[in-house]
Amino acid sequence: MTQRADANPALSRPAALLPGGAVAGGARVAPRSGAVSVLRGGGWVLMAAAALAAPRVLTSQYDLNVLVTLAINAIQATGLAIVVRAGRLSLAQATFGGIGGYVSGILVMQYDVNYWPALLVAGIVAASFGILLGLTSLKLQGFYFAIATFTFSQIAIIILSAWRSVTGGLSGMFGLPVPPAIGPFDFDDPIVYYYFAVLVLIGAMGIAWLCSSGTRFGRGLTVLGEDEVLAGAMGVPAIPYRLAAFAISSFVGGIAGSLGTHFIQGISPTDIAPSVSVFIVVMVMAGGVQMLLGPVIGAAILTAVPELLRVSAQWSMVLYGVFLLAYVFFFRRGLLPLLDSGMLRLSPARWAPSPGAAAERPAFAPVPAAPAQAARASDVALAFEDVACAFGDTRVLQGVSFQVRRGELRGIIGPNGAGKTTLFNVITGNAPLTAGRVLLDGHAIRPSPARMAQRGVARTFQHPRVLTTRTVAESIRLGAELVGSRPAADYLDWVAEMTALRPLLDVPGSLLSHFERRRLTVAMAIAGRPRILLLDEPLAGLDDSETHLLKDRVQDIHRRLGCTLLLIEHKLGVVMQLCSRLTVLDYGHVIAEGDPETVARDDAVIQAYLGS
Amino acid sequence: MHLFVQQVINGVLLGGMFALMSIGLSLVFGIMKTANFAYGALYMLGGYVAYWSSVLLHAPYPVAVLAAFVVMFGAGILIEVAGFEPLRGNEDATLIFGLGLALVLRGGAILAWGSQSRFIATGGPGSVEIGSFIFPTARLWAGIASFAIVGAIYVLVSRTRWGRVMRAVADNARRASLLGINARVVYWLVFGLGTGLSAVACVFLIPVFSLSPTVDESALYIGFAVVILGGLGNIVGCAVAGMILGIVTTLAYGYTVSTIAPVFPLLVLVLTLVFRPQGLFGTRGRLA
Amino acid sequence: MSDHPILRIEHVSSRFAGGSKLADISLSVQRGELVSILGANGAGKSTLLGVIAGLYRPSSGRILLEDRDITGLPAHQVVRAGVALAPQNHPVFENMSVTDNLALSDGGREEQILPLFPNLAAKRQQRAGRLSGGERQMLSMAQAMLTTPKICLFDEPSSGLAPKIVHEVFQTIRTLVDHGTTVLMVEQNARAALELADRAYVLEQGRIVLSGSSREISANDHVRRAYLGL
């Protein structure tokens, strides 16, 4: 990740070399050049051809066994990648495979169930355990979650080993039948098995596509994986999304496990050891988790290489380890991106901005701003009644009561540590509302980040949070889409224009300067046409000319969106000019409220600021 | 009743061993916030260093222990400098680095030394009787040694100047550097110490658990279970959590079927993760 | 007061370190002086102190401590050279006792330093995490003083403190200076800072826009409007 210097507020920039070899200069309609697309298409065709032709070339029984294993590993890895993209590194994928294998094996052997319905049941049972594990992910992340998945595997192994009457104990089950023939296709033939596995793999990739770039759910999921707090502010509810990801991922895992079990016609507890799960993780990481084909490529390489080298299990363990170490130090984004950093990226960019839509023509009809006078009750957009927020013994907000009228531009000011950001966090559910009520349009709400975003409350954060792997255009589009708004291209053009991001549409978030990030967070917040916009120090860290530009833009945005706007800002001069009313916080209390002149003369305010 | 008391005492002894097994992990986790997934493998490696210096070089037992400590201390510093330090702050990368290192070390150990179990001969009678209780000598000594070492580490961390510096760095490395403490060097030494201690633990526990390339897994699980249950980097927590898990384990083996008994300590871990992820001794990042 | 400065900063610029930009900053502090840096949030005040203390490396310029070039030294070496920073929001080692906190930087001067912080004496056995904001600030300053510094840097000593406590903190700083300590202080509370300091610099958008004696600065029209609310 490089930090670019961007001293010039006039937005001229050195041409940045983008992934895919494109040069970002001005606004470009087509996000990618044709040559790259052809290359990518070629890659897919080549892969497909190789997958289809493989059993014709590698014809020995041994080779065919390797091919089937490879395809099944690819399914496993593709399934695991779904959860990894949602931000949780699970070390239990092999366990889900094992659950699937045991379930279908038991059903077929002991209950004489036909394999095909048993396969479905295997997937469903694995998925239910996936949800169970997913529940722990709501509280745990990082190392703690990894440990939880490890523990889950261990418990599964112990139970499967102990439950001898059903599972066969430590020696497991053997002599399982291959799936029954479908029409002329006899699964005793490894070629048939192979093609069937490839078919399932294609299905799994389809599911993975739906869970990443293919649907709004998928795109939300990848945003969730990148930044949970930002995802919440963009309208993605973490709990249902992540549970769904776990269910789907472990379903795919269960199916793959069942196919594998019935191919080798046996299963034992050692097949689901955590180290096997780690192997699957290596495949996902090695190929490149952010790409659809990444896990498949990873599985192919890491299955084929040890077989080609004909090495022992120990050597392949060392090999996998070396692969992981190399991954960490040399190709953190996976092998596939190393080959073509632009290829097959799971990108949702579909909105291509029209270059003609400039500021001078009214790109969309602005909602007229509500008249600033008249204080009927229904005109209150947001009200606080005796709101308190505490973390343990620390009371950050206490007895905060005030109202914001519809269409108002309200400044929230106060010294450092007064509780301004916490107030925003309480509204959006990022901080606990320990007492009192927050009313949105006269109705008390139970704030949670995603729900508030869905209800038209958008916010920015003090430290600009952007999606580092997405381009500016993608980010803006996601900002609109994930809160469920379907804005016209015109409107998004206006957003890009308003935040002066048009020249940067193809630049990924990681390459933006501080000022550009600030503007992008504002753009993402307004992309969904919020009714209430909360801006948390949008001008912090900006120099004079930057401040001036963004200040004017904030005013324009407020006027043309007709939204209610709450602005936390330290640059008092700006607040005085922009806002019609100010609320002053100090030590978590409202100490003054009124128009800027009155507030500036207020004794309590002067005391708080100047501490005389 | 007599059986129960015997089980509890056995559990306490086992708990001491668990605490010893995890103390190196706990130091590193607590002070550097680095979860070292290669911990088990390094523990195993330390055991082999002692084993080979005892078998090949005919080093007396104490010398073998010292050799294991010194070699693994150096190895720890090397791994910290080359591996964990450049990755600090990136949780996923740290985790994967640890997993990768563990695979390499374990695979390498099996290739180099085979997968059979080994023992270091300590001699002495098979068991001692104290009152009406019977203890296998190996377990008794390992348990007592464990408590002694854990106690020594507690004194080091809570009572010495060096321990104070470690606690300060654990609490706020940047603030510590503003008082003239070189946090980077403290990290090196802590990682070295943690790895060295894991080696000592492995050597002391060989008579009980034996030595093979696969002891790394149980050391890793027990280590993380104890650290999570006790609370991040809390040494008293480490001892108490070790004892809880030890007692739960012995009681489970004593009163349930041996095939299902290993589930119980894991359940304790799961319940901790779900209901009290910060561990029994709640305050975050507290040491000693 | 000699004209031989303890601390001299020459044309220091910094681009991204610490969140704010610094552009061509030059300033100096004489022995025994209390110098204040004023400015709005995000003007780069804390970044400047961070650069001096070795937390961030400047992209250009030099920092001299009594003619020794300390530019780019890591923080722990800057401390040993004689610059002690008490950071913003008074971080202390929360899980350690006050005594242990103080012992970290003990250079054997406890007897001389601690009497200057009377309210810490009663709390020595307490865990630092249970101290109030004002006490934390005192502890933080005492820790800095115990490193035997040639110059102390205080970053917003008043932030988040109640007015009465702010007064106490400033009293303590005054006492330290009266006992011969050299202090460079960053403060948002412009009025109090100007009352306290001998000289001041005004920092805006990472540049020094004004410098002079506190009296001159207080009389400046721009400062009166922007910082003193007059």
Side-chain angles (χ1 to χ4, degrees), chain A residues 139 142-143 147 150-151 154 158 164 274 314 321 324 328 332, chain B residues 35 37 87 90-91 96 100 110 221 224 259 263 269 274:
Chain A
K139 259 187 139 173
F143 302 123
I147 292 294
F150 257 137
T151 314
Q154 289 292 63
I158 294 170
R164 226 167 293 158
Q314 289 76 40
L324 273 187
V328 168
R332 202 78 68 79
Chain B
F37 268 74
L87 302 176
N90 185 338
E91 240 189 39
I96 290 168
I110 300 176
Y221 295 136
F224 273 114
T259 49
V263 159
L269 177 59
V274 171

PDB file of all heavy atoms in Angstrom, chain A residues 139 142-143 147 150-151 154 158 164 274 314 321 324 328 332, chain B residues 35 37 87 90-91 96 100 110 221 224 259 263 269 274:
ATOM      1  N   LYS A 139     -19.303 -12.901  18.452  1.00  0.00           N
ATOM      2  CA  LYS A 139     -18.592 -12.313  19.584  1.00  0.00           C
ATOM      3  C   LYS A 139     -17.087 -12.357  19.380  1.00  0.00           C
ATOM      4  O   LYS A 139     -16.370 -11.542  19.933  1.00  0.00           O
ATOM      5  CB  LYS A 139     -18.924 -13.098  20.857  1.00  0.00           C
ATOM      6  CG  LYS A 139     -19.949 -12.429  21.736  1.00  0.00           C
ATOM      7  CD  LYS A 139     -20.074 -13.183  23.035  1.00  0.00           C
ATOM      8  CE  LYS A 139     -20.187 -12.235  24.205  1.00  0.00           C
ATOM      9  NZ  LYS A 139     -20.477 -12.970  25.443  1.00  0.00           N
ATOM     10  N   GLY A 142     -10.639 -12.883  14.853  1.00  0.00           N
ATOM     11  CA  GLY A 142      -9.185 -13.062  14.853  1.00  0.00           C
ATOM     12  C   GLY A 142      -8.779 -14.362  15.516  1.00  0.00           C
ATOM     13  O   GLY A 142      -9.349 -15.417  15.254  1.00  0.00           O
ATOM     14  N   PHE A 143      -7.799 -14.269  16.420  1.00  0.00           N
ATOM     15  CA  PHE A 143      -7.256 -15.450  17.063  1.00  0.00           C
ATOM     16  C   PHE A 143      -8.321 -16.193  17.849  1.00  0.00           C
ATOM     17  O   PHE A 143      -8.376 -17.408  17.853  1.00  0.00           O
ATOM     18  CB  PHE A 143      -6.158 -15.052  18.041  1.00  0.00           C
ATOM     19  CG  PHE A 143      -5.065 -14.298  17.393  1.00  0.00           C
ATOM     20  CD1 PHE A 143      -4.712 -13.046  17.836  1.00  0.00           C
ATOM     21  CD2 PHE A 143      -4.384 -14.849  16.324  1.00  0.00           C
ATOM     22  CE1 PHE A 143      -3.695 -12.344  17.232  1.00  0.00           C
ATOM     23  CE2 PHE A 143      -3.373 -14.148  15.711  1.00  0.00           C
ATOM     24  CZ  PHE A 143      -3.038 -12.894  16.168  1.00  0.00           C
ATOM     25  N   ILE A 147      -9.331 -20.051  17.406  1.00  0.00           N
ATOM     26  CA  ILE A 147      -9.302 -21.037  18.487  1.00  0.00           C
ATOM     27  C   ILE A 147     -10.669 -21.713  18.639  1.00  0.00           C
ATOM     28  O   ILE A 147     -10.769 -22.925  18.848  1.00  0.00           O
ATOM     29  CB  ILE A 147      -8.900 -20.352  19.809  1.00  0.00           C
ATOM     30  CG1 ILE A 147      -7.443 -19.907  19.734  1.00  0.00           C
ATOM     31  CG2 ILE A 147      -9.095 -21.291  20.986  1.00  0.00           C
ATOM     32  CD1 ILE A 147      -6.469 -21.034  19.647  1.00  0.00           C
ATOM     33  N   PHE A 150     -10.946 -24.277  16.001  1.00  0.00           N
ATOM     34  CA  PHE A 150     -10.089 -25.413  16.356  1.00  0.00           C
ATOM     35  C   PHE A 150     -10.785 -26.303  17.391  1.00  0.00           C
ATOM     36  O   PHE A 150     -10.829 -27.527  17.283  1.00  0.00           O
ATOM     37  CB  PHE A 150      -8.777 -24.913  16.980  1.00  0.00           C
ATOM     38  CG  PHE A 150      -7.602 -24.971  16.048  1.00  0.00           C
ATOM     39  CD1 PHE A 150      -6.704 -23.921  15.990  1.00  0.00           C
ATOM     40  CD2 PHE A 150      -7.379 -26.080  15.259  1.00  0.00           C
ATOM     41  CE1 PHE A 150      -5.611 -23.967  15.144  1.00  0.00           C
ATOM     42  CE2 PHE A 150      -6.285 -26.133  14.417  1.00  0.00           C
ATOM     43  CZ  PHE A 150      -5.403 -25.067  14.354  1.00  0.00           C
ATOM     44  N   THR A 151     -11.319 -25.629  18.407  1.00  0.00           N
ATOM     45  CA  THR A 151     -11.971 -26.369  19.483  1.00  0.00           C
ATOM     46  C   THR A 151     -13.171 -27.143  18.953  1.00  0.00           C
ATOM     47  O   THR A 151     -13.404 -28.294  19.326  1.00  0.00           O
ATOM     48  CB  THR A 151     -12.429 -25.382  20.576  1.00  0.00           C
ATOM     49  OG1 THR A 151     -11.368 -24.489  20.842  1.00  0.00           O
ATOM     50  CG2 THR A 151     -12.816 -26.109  21.832  1.00  0.00           C
ATOM     51  N   GLN A 154     -11.972 -30.224  17.380  1.00  0.00           N
ATOM     52  CA  GLN A 154     -11.535 -31.204  18.369  1.00  0.00           C
ATOM     53  C   GLN A 154     -12.714 -31.929  18.986  1.00  0.00           C
ATOM     54  O   GLN A 154     -12.708 -33.150  19.140  1.00  0.00           O
ATOM     55  CB  GLN A 154     -10.738 -30.500  19.480  1.00  0.00           C
ATOM     56  CG  GLN A 154      -9.380 -30.006  19.074  1.00  0.00           C
ATOM     57  CD  GLN A 154      -8.438 -31.162  18.799  1.00  0.00           C
ATOM     58  OE1 GLN A 154      -8.675 -31.952  17.896  1.00  0.00           O
ATOM     59  NE2 GLN A 154      -7.389 -31.279  19.586  1.00  0.00           N
ATOM     60  N   ILE A 158     -13.577 -35.921  18.894  1.00  0.00           N
ATOM     61  CA  ILE A 158     -13.755 -36.753  20.090  1.00  0.00           C
ATOM     62  C   ILE A 158     -15.109 -37.465  20.055  1.00  0.00           C
ATOM     63  O   ILE A 158     -15.205 -38.657  20.319  1.00  0.00           O
ATOM     64  CB  ILE A 158     -13.628 -35.881  21.360  1.00  0.00           C
ATOM     65  CG1 ILE A 158     -12.197 -35.360  21.481  1.00  0.00           C
ATOM     66  CG2 ILE A 158     -14.001 -36.686  22.602  1.00  0.00           C
ATOM     67  CD1 ILE A 158     -12.022 -34.309  22.534  1.00  0.00           C
ATOM     68  N   ARG A 164     -19.019 -45.056  19.031  1.00  0.00           N
ATOM     69  CA  ARG A 164     -18.576 -46.177  18.214  1.00  0.00           C
ATOM     70  C   ARG A 164     -19.721 -46.871  17.476  1.00  0.00           C
ATOM     71  O   ARG A 164     -19.587 -47.273  16.334  1.00  0.00           O
ATOM     72  CB  ARG A 164     -17.818 -47.182  19.097  1.00  0.00           C
ATOM     73  CG  ARG A 164     -16.536 -47.639  18.468  1.00  0.00           C
ATOM     74  CD  ARG A 164     -15.675 -48.368  19.480  1.00  0.00           C
ATOM     75  NE  ARG A 164     -15.179 -47.489  20.535  1.00  0.00           N
ATOM     76  CZ  ARG A 164     -14.786 -47.923  21.728  1.00  0.00           C
ATOM     77  NH1 ARG A 164     -14.848 -49.187  22.031  1.00  0.00           N
ATOM     78  NH2 ARG A 164     -14.340 -47.065  22.624  1.00  0.00           N
ATOM     79  N   PRO A 274      -7.813 -30.800  12.543  1.00  0.00           N
ATOM     80  CA  PRO A 274      -7.580 -29.392  12.222  1.00  0.00           C
ATOM     81  C   PRO A 274      -6.501 -29.187  11.169  1.00  0.00           C
ATOM     82  O   PRO A 274      -6.592 -28.255  10.366  1.00  0.00           O
ATOM     83  CB  PRO A 274      -7.149 -28.800  13.567  1.00  0.00           C
ATOM     84  CG  PRO A 274      -7.774 -29.667  14.579  1.00  0.00           C
ATOM     85  CD  PRO A 274      -7.821 -31.046  13.987  1.00  0.00           C
ATOM     86  N   GLN A 314       4.636 -36.275   5.136  1.00  0.00           N
ATOM     87  CA  GLN A 314       5.430 -35.335   5.923  1.00  0.00           C
ATOM     88  C   GLN A 314       5.991 -34.230   5.045  1.00  0.00           C
ATOM     89  O   GLN A 314       5.954 -33.060   5.381  1.00  0.00           O
ATOM     90  CB  GLN A 314       6.590 -36.052   6.633  1.00  0.00           C
ATOM     91  CG  GLN A 314       6.160 -36.937   7.763  1.00  0.00           C
ATOM     92  CD  GLN A 314       5.554 -38.235   7.268  1.00  0.00           C
ATOM     93  OE1 GLN A 314       6.036 -38.818   6.300  1.00  0.00           O
ATOM     94  NE2 GLN A 314       4.471 -38.666   7.888  1.00  0.00           N
ATOM     95  N   GLY A 321       3.499 -25.806   4.662  1.00  0.00           N
ATOM     96  CA  GLY A 321       3.987 -24.793   5.586  1.00  0.00           C
ATOM     97  C   GLY A 321       4.808 -23.739   4.868  1.00  0.00           C
ATOM     98  O   GLY A 321       4.610 -22.535   5.069  1.00  0.00           O
ATOM     99  N   LEU A 324       2.620 -21.427   3.098  1.00  0.00           N
ATOM    100  CA  LEU A 324       1.998 -20.411   3.951  1.00  0.00           C
ATOM    101  C   LEU A 324       2.985 -19.300   4.284  1.00  0.00           C
ATOM    102  O   LEU A 324       2.646 -18.118   4.258  1.00  0.00           O
ATOM    103  CB  LEU A 324       1.509 -21.044   5.257  1.00  0.00           C
ATOM    104  CG  LEU A 324       0.115 -21.658   5.255  1.00  0.00           C
ATOM    105  CD1 LEU A 324      -0.258 -22.086   6.660  1.00  0.00           C
ATOM    106  CD2 LEU A 324      -0.911 -20.664   4.743  1.00  0.00           C
ATOM    107  N   VAL A 328       2.666 -15.341   3.301  1.00  0.00           N
ATOM    108  CA  VAL A 328       2.668 -14.201   4.204  1.00  0.00           C
ATOM    109  C   VAL A 328       3.670 -13.149   3.753  1.00  0.00           C
ATOM    110  O   VAL A 328       3.423 -11.954   3.806  1.00  0.00           O
ATOM    111  CB  VAL A 328       2.981 -14.653   5.643  1.00  0.00           C
ATOM    112  CG1 VAL A 328       3.271 -13.467   6.530  1.00  0.00           C
ATOM    113  CG2 VAL A 328       1.817 -15.444   6.195  1.00  0.00           C
ATOM    114  N   ARG A 332       0.807 -11.846  -0.516  1.00  0.00           N
ATOM    115  CA  ARG A 332      -0.283 -11.719   0.434  1.00  0.00           C
ATOM    116  C   ARG A 332      -1.653 -11.738  -0.234  1.00  0.00           C
ATOM    117  O   ARG A 332      -2.645 -12.061   0.378  1.00  0.00           O
ATOM    118  CB  ARG A 332      -0.088 -10.420   1.231  1.00  0.00           C
ATOM    119  CG  ARG A 332      -0.766 -10.329   2.549  1.00  0.00           C
ATOM    120  CD  ARG A 332      -0.042 -11.089   3.646  1.00  0.00           C
ATOM    121  NE  ARG A 332       1.236 -10.527   4.028  1.00  0.00           N
ATOM    122  CZ  ARG A 332       1.392  -9.483   4.833  1.00  0.00           C
ATOM    123  NH1 ARG A 332       0.351  -8.889   5.326  1.00  0.00           N
ATOM    124  NH2 ARG A 332       2.582  -9.057   5.165  1.00  0.00           N
TER     125      ARG A 332
ATOM    126  N   ALA B  35      -0.593 -13.888  19.024  1.00  0.00           N
ATOM    127  CA  ALA B  35      -0.983 -15.270  19.251  1.00  0.00           C
ATOM    128  C   ALA B  35      -0.113 -16.137  18.360  1.00  0.00           C
ATOM    129  O   ALA B  35      -0.208 -16.096  17.140  1.00  0.00           O
ATOM    130  CB  ALA B  35      -2.442 -15.471  18.918  1.00  0.00           C
ATOM    131  N   PHE B  37       0.797 -19.296  16.782  1.00  0.00           N
ATOM    132  CA  PHE B  37       0.271 -20.617  16.463  1.00  0.00           C
ATOM    133  C   PHE B  37       1.383 -21.639  16.253  1.00  0.00           C
ATOM    134  O   PHE B  37       1.111 -22.810  16.088  1.00  0.00           O
ATOM    135  CB  PHE B  37      -0.630 -20.561  15.223  1.00  0.00           C
ATOM    136  CG  PHE B  37      -2.068 -20.340  15.582  1.00  0.00           C
ATOM    137  CD1 PHE B  37      -2.501 -19.096  15.997  1.00  0.00           C
ATOM    138  CD2 PHE B  37      -2.989 -21.371  15.540  1.00  0.00           C
ATOM    139  CE1 PHE B  37      -3.808 -18.881  16.358  1.00  0.00           C
ATOM    140  CE2 PHE B  37      -4.315 -21.164  15.903  1.00  0.00           C
ATOM    141  CZ  PHE B  37      -4.718 -19.922  16.308  1.00  0.00           C
ATOM    142  N   LEU B  87       5.260  -8.470  10.845  1.00  0.00           N
ATOM    143  CA  LEU B  87       3.831  -8.691  10.621  1.00  0.00           C
ATOM    144  C   LEU B  87       2.969  -8.072  11.712  1.00  0.00           C
ATOM    145  O   LEU B  87       1.747  -8.153  11.643  1.00  0.00           O
ATOM    146  CB  LEU B  87       3.536 -10.197  10.567  1.00  0.00           C
ATOM    147  CG  LEU B  87       4.291 -10.995   9.514  1.00  0.00           C
ATOM    148  CD1 LEU B  87       3.977 -12.465   9.660  1.00  0.00           C
ATOM    149  CD2 LEU B  87       3.931 -10.509   8.127  1.00  0.00           C
ATOM    150  N   ASN B  90      -0.977  -6.991  11.887  1.00  0.00           N
ATOM    151  CA  ASN B  90      -1.809  -7.698  10.921  1.00  0.00           C
ATOM    152  C   ASN B  90      -2.158  -9.074  11.496  1.00  0.00           C
ATOM    153  O   ASN B  90      -1.380 -10.010  11.416  1.00  0.00           O
ATOM    154  CB  ASN B  90      -1.069  -7.827   9.590  1.00  0.00           C
ATOM    155  CG  ASN B  90      -1.937  -8.454   8.529  1.00  0.00           C
ATOM    156  OD1 ASN B  90      -2.912  -9.144   8.824  1.00  0.00           O
ATOM    157  ND2 ASN B  90      -1.597  -8.203   7.284  1.00  0.00           N
ATOM    158  N   GLU B  91      -3.333  -9.155  12.105  1.00  0.00           N
ATOM    159  CA  GLU B  91      -3.684 -10.352  12.852  1.00  0.00           C
ATOM    160  C   GLU B  91      -3.702 -11.599  11.969  1.00  0.00           C
ATOM    161  O   GLU B  91      -3.166 -12.633  12.339  1.00  0.00           O
ATOM    162  CB  GLU B  91      -5.048 -10.182  13.510  1.00  0.00           C
ATOM    163  CG  GLU B  91      -4.964 -10.310  15.012  1.00  0.00           C
ATOM    164  CD  GLU B  91      -6.324 -10.353  15.672  1.00  0.00           C
ATOM    165  OE1 GLU B  91      -7.246 -10.973  15.137  1.00  0.00           O
ATOM    166  OE2 GLU B  91      -6.446  -9.766  16.751  1.00  0.00           O
ATOM    167  N   ILE B  96      -1.420 -16.801  10.185  1.00  0.00           N
ATOM    168  CA  ILE B  96      -1.035 -17.706   9.098  1.00  0.00           C
ATOM    169  C   ILE B  96       0.458 -18.009   9.162  1.00  0.00           C
ATOM    170  O   ILE B  96       0.882 -19.128   8.916  1.00  0.00           O
ATOM    171  CB  ILE B  96      -1.445 -17.093   7.744  1.00  0.00           C
ATOM    172  CG1 ILE B  96      -2.974 -17.118   7.634  1.00  0.00           C
ATOM    173  CG2 ILE B  96      -0.829 -17.855   6.589  1.00  0.00           C
ATOM    174  CD1 ILE B  96      -3.517 -16.318   6.508  1.00  0.00           C
ATOM    175  N   GLY B 100       1.937 -21.731   9.358  1.00  0.00           N
ATOM    176  CA  GLY B 100       2.917 -22.199   8.373  1.00  0.00           C
ATOM    177  C   GLY B 100       4.170 -22.721   9.055  1.00  0.00           C
ATOM    178  O   GLY B 100       4.652 -23.822   8.743  1.00  0.00           O
ATOM    179  N   ILE B 110       9.096 -34.886  11.975  1.00  0.00           N
ATOM    180  CA  ILE B 110       8.764 -36.289  11.658  1.00  0.00           C
ATOM    181  C   ILE B 110       9.786 -36.844  10.665  1.00  0.00           C
ATOM    182  O   ILE B 110      10.272 -37.968  10.801  1.00  0.00           O
ATOM    183  CB  ILE B 110       7.346 -36.397  11.070  1.00  0.00           C
ATOM    184  CG1 ILE B 110       6.312 -35.871  12.071  1.00  0.00           C
ATOM    185  CG2 ILE B 110       7.030 -37.843  10.693  1.00  0.00           C
ATOM    186  CD1 ILE B 110       4.909 -35.839  11.548  1.00  0.00           C
ATOM    187  N   TYR B 221      -3.227 -26.577  22.014  1.00  0.00           N
ATOM    188  CA  TYR B 221      -4.605 -26.478  22.517  1.00  0.00           C
ATOM    189  C   TYR B 221      -4.637 -26.144  23.985  1.00  0.00           C
ATOM    190  O   TYR B 221      -5.368 -25.262  24.423  1.00  0.00           O
ATOM    191  CB  TYR B 221      -5.364 -27.791  22.307  1.00  0.00           C
ATOM    192  CG  TYR B 221      -5.556 -28.123  20.876  1.00  0.00           C
ATOM    193  CD1 TYR B 221      -5.361 -29.398  20.394  1.00  0.00           C
ATOM    194  CD2 TYR B 221      -5.916 -27.116  19.989  1.00  0.00           C
ATOM    195  CE1 TYR B 221      -5.516 -29.683  19.063  1.00  0.00           C
ATOM    196  CE2 TYR B 221      -6.070 -27.398  18.658  1.00  0.00           C
ATOM    197  CZ  TYR B 221      -5.868 -28.688  18.185  1.00  0.00           C
ATOM    198  OH  TYR B 221      -6.010 -28.952  16.881  1.00  0.00           O
ATOM    199  N   PHE B 224      -3.554 -22.538  24.558  1.00  0.00           N
ATOM    200  CA  PHE B 224      -4.563 -21.516  24.277  1.00  0.00           C
ATOM    201  C   PHE B 224      -5.739 -21.629  25.241  1.00  0.00           C
ATOM    202  O   PHE B 224      -6.305 -20.613  25.662  1.00  0.00           O
ATOM    203  CB  PHE B 224      -5.038 -21.604  22.828  1.00  0.00           C
ATOM    204  CG  PHE B 224      -4.177 -20.805  21.898  1.00  0.00           C
ATOM    205  CD1 PHE B 224      -3.412 -21.425  20.923  1.00  0.00           C
ATOM    206  CD2 PHE B 224      -4.101 -19.425  22.004  1.00  0.00           C
ATOM    207  CE1 PHE B 224      -2.596 -20.685  20.076  1.00  0.00           C
ATOM    208  CE2 PHE B 224      -3.297 -18.681  21.164  1.00  0.00           C
ATOM    209  CZ  PHE B 224      -2.540 -19.317  20.195  1.00  0.00           C
ATOM    210  N   THR B 259     -13.266 -42.387  26.500  1.00  0.00           N
ATOM    211  CA  THR B 259     -13.337 -41.882  25.124  1.00  0.00           C
ATOM    212  C   THR B 259     -13.973 -40.505  25.071  1.00  0.00           C
ATOM    213  O   THR B 259     -13.682 -39.715  24.188  1.00  0.00           O
ATOM    214  CB  THR B 259     -14.160 -42.838  24.245  1.00  0.00           C
ATOM    215  OG1 THR B 259     -15.372 -43.143  24.918  1.00  0.00           O
ATOM    216  CG2 THR B 259     -13.397 -44.100  23.939  1.00  0.00           C
ATOM    217  N   VAL B 263     -13.601 -34.335  26.072  1.00  0.00           N
ATOM    218  CA  VAL B 263     -14.516 -33.274  25.664  1.00  0.00           C
ATOM    219  C   VAL B 263     -14.689 -32.222  26.756  1.00  0.00           C
ATOM    220  O   VAL B 263     -14.850 -31.047  26.468  1.00  0.00           O
ATOM    221  CB  VAL B 263     -15.884 -33.885  25.283  1.00  0.00           C
ATOM    222  CG1 VAL B 263     -16.983 -32.844  25.356  1.00  0.00           C
ATOM    223  CG2 VAL B 263     -15.814 -34.459  23.882  1.00  0.00           C
ATOM    224  N   LEU B 269     -13.504 -24.584  27.679  1.00  0.00           N
ATOM    225  CA  LEU B 269     -12.954 -23.562  26.792  1.00  0.00           C
ATOM    226  C   LEU B 269     -14.071 -22.909  25.967  1.00  0.00           C
ATOM    227  O   LEU B 269     -14.133 -21.682  25.837  1.00  0.00           O
ATOM    228  CB  LEU B 269     -11.906 -24.198  25.872  1.00  0.00           C
ATOM    229  CG  LEU B 269     -11.293 -23.278  24.830  1.00  0.00           C
ATOM    230  CD1 LEU B 269     -10.612 -22.095  25.489  1.00  0.00           C
ATOM    231  CD2 LEU B 269     -10.291 -24.032  23.967  1.00  0.00           C
ATOM    232  N   VAL B 274     -17.549 -18.301  24.734  1.00  0.00           N
ATOM    233  CA  VAL B 274     -18.870 -17.758  24.447  1.00  0.00           C
ATOM    234  C   VAL B 274     -19.288 -16.730  25.495  1.00  0.00           C
ATOM    235  O   VAL B 274     -19.808 -15.670  25.158  1.00  0.00           O
ATOM    236  CB  VAL B 274     -19.903 -18.895  24.350  1.00  0.00           C
ATOM    237  CG1 VAL B 274     -21.312 -18.342  24.265  1.00  0.00           C
ATOM    238  CG2 VAL B 274     -19.601 -19.761  23.130  1.00  0.00           C
TER     239      VAL B 274
END
